[in-house]
Amino acid sequence: MNKESAYLLLNKYITTKSLLNHSQMVAIAMQAYAQKLKKDENSTHNWWLCGLLHDIDWEKYPEQHPNYAIEHIFPEIELPDEVQHAILAHAPSRTGVIAESEMDRYLFACDELSGFIHAVSLMRPTAYDGMKVKSVTKKLKTLNFAANVSRVDINNGVELIGEKLSDHILFLIDVFQDAKQKNLIN
Ligand SMILES: [Fe+2]
Ligand SMILES: [Fe+2]
């Protein structure tokens, strides 16, 4: 599935601007990590797709997310199995699927943290520009800030990819700064 059809599909299921933005952020984060890990063009595209589509059924079928997408949306588009597995594994409590492959682990690691960094950006006049790792880690310790973002999942995520939390945050801040400058995200 090429980028254009992926966006068309996403927009068929999601109308909320914030969820579209989240999907785009996670897609860009996944793509950036695939490039960092020197994946070839085809698998880099699959990493991007995985990020873009991971929450596709969240707006319309929150109770069944992400199982609805696996059962009813993805079969029609023949999404690669590894992408579907990663999407199942980003919600282990709902699917019973644990993150195993590299794609699984990076999706898990990018999802909640992207949401959190976005929440931090909304507090700053310059958004991601000049955002410091320290201000993100400080906000992570402020439990009533973006309280819906699971700190446990963020910590599990960095463990899954074997990074230091500060390095993972720094990497994503850089990626989002660049994406914002290109008007790819809010
Ligand atoms: Fe999700
Ligand atoms: Fe998500």
Side-chain angles (χ1 to χ4, degrees):
M1 160 167 270
N2 65 26
K3 285 199 170 185
E4 202 190 336
S5 0
Y7 281 126
L8 280 175
L9 184 73
L10 188 73
N11 282 282
K12 204 171 126 187
Y13 287 92
I14 303 179
T15 56
T16 325
K17 281 214 167 71
S18 59
L19 188 55
L20 285 170
N21 189 57
H22 170 70
S23 306
Q24 174 77 342
M25 286 181 77
V26 179
I28 288 170
M30 288 293 282
Q31 174 177 270
Y33 266 121
Q35 285 161 348
K36 186 182 181 220
L37 296 164
K38 305 214 175 346
K39 301 292 175 193
D40 66 23
E41 205 178 313
N42 187 46
S43 60
T44 301
H45 176 70
N46 285 340
W47 281 53
W48 176 88
L49 262 183
C50 177
L52 193 79
L53 301 180
H54 80 281
D55 277 339
I56 190 167
D57 56 356
W58 176 247
E59 181 178 316
K60 289 201 197 300
Y61 308 97
E63 302 297 325
Q64 300 167 64
H65 165 73
N67 297 304
Y68 183 90
I70 300 287
E71 281 162 34
H72 303 285
I73 304 176
F74 299 150
E76 282 173 35
I77 58 163
E78 295 177 13
L79 197 65
D81 286 349
E82 58 164 354
V83 177
Q84 299 201 43
H85 191 274
I87 291 176
L88 283 166
H90 94 278
S93 60
R94 292 158 163 263
T95 62
V97 177
I98 302 296
E100 287 161 359
S101 73
E102 214 172 25
M103 192 192 287
D104 298 350
R105 291 181 279 119
Y106 275 87
L107 178 63
F108 195 95
C110 291
D111 183 21
E112 291 289 280
L113 189 57
S114 296
F116 191 82
I117 293 176
H118 180 252
V120 174
S121 81
L122 296 176
M123 309 296 293
R124 313 181 67 255
T126 56
Y128 309 98
D129 259 351
M131 187 186 285
K132 296 271 184 292
V133 171
K134 254 195 180 164
S135 62
V136 177
T137 49
K138 209 172 141 191
K139 288 247 178 336
L140 278 171
K141 288 177 195 142
T142 312
L143 295 183
N144 61 0
F145 176 82
N148 58 332
V149 175
S150 163
R151 272 61 172 174
V152 173
D153 282 352
I154 288 178
N155 288 323
N156 287 345
V158 284
E159 253 174 57
L160 282 171
I161 61 171
E163 290 272 356
K164 274 182 13 196
L165 177 63
S166 56
D167 291 341
H168 186 32
I169 292 171
L170 181 63
F171 183 82
L172 289 181
I173 291 176
D174 282 347
V175 167
F176 296 146
Q177 252 171 28
D178 183 61
K180 170 96 178 171
Q181 267 164 21
K182 293 175 179 155
N183 276 322
L184 295 172
I185 60 166
N186 292 319

